[in-house]
Amino acid sequence: MLNIAYVGFGKSTNRYHIPYVRQRPDKFHIGRVVAPHINKRPDDRLALEKTGTVFSTDIQDIIADKTLDLVIVVTPAPTHFKVVRQLLIAGKNVLVDKPVVATAQEATELIALANKNGLFFMPFQNRRFDSDFLTLQHVLNTGYIGRPIELELHMDHYRPNDAKSTGSAMETTWFDHGAHLVDQIVSLFGAPQAVAYDLRATRDLSATLSDQFEANLFYNDAFKATIQSSETTVTHYPKWILHGTKGSYIKHNIDQQEYDLKAGIMPGDVGFGQDAPQDYGKVTYYNQNNDRLEKFVPSILGDYGSVYDSVFETIVNKRPKLVSDEQLLTTMQILEAGIANVNPHIVYFNH
């Protein structure tokens, strides 16, 4: 069993982390929680204290605790580099929420520090275990659509009044949502040869922070992946649109875990995270006899807790990390290049 601690006790910690850890009592015990405001969620705090979790406001309490096997950093994004660096210097294994840091150079420094000290360091890329992403992987692996030619991945919302005008680039939609979407594409296809960027501020025209993006990732085998996110889309695009040499796959609705968590339905509850049959994606393809076929593909059940399973396997059983250092650096290079020039622009990468 790993004794773990959290830095941060806000919405993300209590929605995307702790409910899944509680499903794994044989692997994890939450020994400590450190946050500047530990009384904002009294019921959540009391439930953890009953299982032996100690709350405090000073990160030095985590640094001084020699019993901890892993620290999860769930603090505001601009603080990540400082907090993670402090923990790695103190000899702690670290899992950190996205976006990890602001630049590829900062990521390189943290990776080097972790490797020098023989420590675990990885981003919490829970959307590798979205139901729709797992099902998309399945469609690619089964060969229904042949060689992929074009892929579109969308993350759309309608939040017209939530615009943030100024701040860190890490607070843009590009770094927030893009950190997930870029990672998903990189995990499937590796590093692109070039990326074309279109980042815009659409809700507040005077804002310096973009809230909408489209990025085209070009690969050298005539394949292109497009990722897009908008905060002003009333009618959403399909989540996935995949075209290949033999067929197409379209999946409209997103993973249900987030909807269920917001509704108070927890991992382990009946039906948690399950797609309704009418929400299954559909593949249309030609078989070896040149017959045109249509098939609904049942959604593979997602589980954000699988990130924790992978961390356990890496720390305890020395398995490779779910998100490799190379993948983290590739994602950071793509994110950083998106804000390095006037938009729209194209960046060519030398890999």
Side-chain angles (χ1 to χ4, degrees):
M1 180 183 291
L2 298 181
N3 192 32
I4 68 176
Y6 286 96
V7 183
F9 195 60
K11 178 186 71 176
S12 292
T13 305
N14 286 278
R15 179 179 292 173
Y16 300 113
H17 290 266
I18 290 176
Y20 293 94
V21 168
R22 282 178 169 160
Q23 290 297 111
R24 293 157 170 82
D26 57 327
K27 293 182 177 179
F28 300 97
H29 170 70
I30 303 173
R32 287 189 177 273
V33 173
V34 165
H37 308 289
I38 57 177
N39 297 316
K40 283 188 174 182
R41 298 174 177 269
D43 292 341
D44 295 325
R45 176 181 174 179
L46 180 61
L48 286 172
E49 286 179 331
K50 287 181 178 178
T51 64
T53 302
V54 177
F55 281 76
S56 66
T57 59
D58 190 348
I59 196 171
Q60 291 299 324
D61 294 332
I62 285 178
I63 289 173
D65 191 337
K66 304 301 183 184
T67 72
L68 294 172
D69 301 299
L70 173 70
V71 181
I72 301 94
V73 176
V74 198
T75 58
T79 69
H80 285 175
F81 177 74
K82 179 181 177 181
V83 173
V84 172
R85 187 175 183 275
Q86 185 178 13
L87 290 168
L88 290 174
I89 289 174
K92 305 299 183 184
N93 295 312
V94 179
L95 180 68
V96 57
D97 238 352
K98 60 79 198 172
V100 179
V101 285
T103 66
Q105 178 55 45
E106 288 182 345
T108 299
E109 182 177 339
L110 295 180
I111 289 169
L113 185 58
N115 291 339
K116 176 185 176 182
N117 296 328
L119 297 170
F120 173 91
F121 165 61
M122 195 184 81
F124 180 71
Q125 286 291 5
N126 60 316
R127 293 198 179 275
R128 289 200 186 188
F129 296 100
D130 270 342
S131 170
D132 53 83
F133 178 70
L134 295 173
T135 309
L136 186 280
Q137 282 183 304
H138 169 70
V139 170
L140 284 168
N141 292 337
T142 55
Y144 281 124
I145 58 95
R147 174 173 56 83
I149 296 173
E150 192 165 50
L151 175 66
E152 290 185 33
L153 168 55
H154 294 266
M155 182 177 283
D156 299 320
H157 304 97
Y158 184 65
R159 300 165 175 168
N161 301 314
D162 292 346
K164 184 174 176 61
S165 298
T166 60
S168 162
M170 295 182 75
E171 299 171 276
T172 61
T173 299
W174 171 236
F175 265 77
D176 187 19
H177 299 331
H180 280 313
L181 304 190
V182 172
D183 174 76
Q184 288 182 326
I185 299 301
V186 168
S187 73
L188 289 172
F189 303 106
Q193 302 299 307
V195 180
Y197 298 92
D198 176 15
L199 280 60
R200 287 176 284 156
T202 60
R203 293 175 292 185
D204 180 354
L205 299 182
S206 64
T208 59
L209 295 181
S210 62
D211 58 16
Q212 179 167 316
F213 67 80
E214 179 177 320
N216 300 303
L217 288 74
F218 295 92
Y219 290 80
N220 60 7
D221 55 356
F223 171 72
K224 180 182 79 171
T226 297
I227 57 174
Q228 192 213 17
S229 183
S230 170
E231 303 296 327
T232 53
T233 304
V234 176
T235 302
H236 295 180
Y237 287 95
K239 180 65 188 288
W240 297 93
I241 303 172
L242 172 64
H243 299 298
T245 55
K246 295 181 180 179
S248 299
Y249 172 74
I250 296 178
K251 171 73 168 75
H252 280 271
N253 291 330
I254 68 171
D255 179 277
Q256 296 299 302
Q257 291 180 84
E258 186 169 1
Y259 287 144
D260 285 349
L261 291 167
K262 288 178 179 178
I265 304 169
M266 291 290 110
D269 291 348
V270 175
F272 175 81
Q274 291 183 356
D275 262 1
Q278 62 266 28
D279 290 329
Y280 292 167
K282 185 172 77 170
V283 62
T284 304
Y285 65 102
Y286 284 87
N287 66 12
Q288 292 179 339
N289 296 325
N290 207 34
D291 302 315
R292 178 186 169 98
L293 303 173
E294 294 185 356
K295 178 179 180 179
F296 286 94
V297 182
S299 299
I300 297 172
L301 188 64
D303 182 2
Y304 295 157
S306 294
V307 177
Y308 278 91
D309 293 334
S310 79
V311 172
F312 183 90
E313 288 299 317
T314 299
I315 293 176
V316 175
N317 297 319
K318 309 307 178 185
R319 300 283 175 82
K321 289 191 290 189
L322 171 71
V323 182
S324 70
D325 293 342
E326 181 182 5
Q327 289 173 337
L328 169 56
L329 285 174
T330 297
T331 295
M332 285 307 311
Q333 288 164 359
I334 293 170
L335 290 175
E336 185 179 4
I339 61 167
N341 237 313
V342 176
N343 284 285
H345 66 280
I346 299 176
V347 175
Y348 294 88
F349 295 91
N350 297 315
H351 301 292

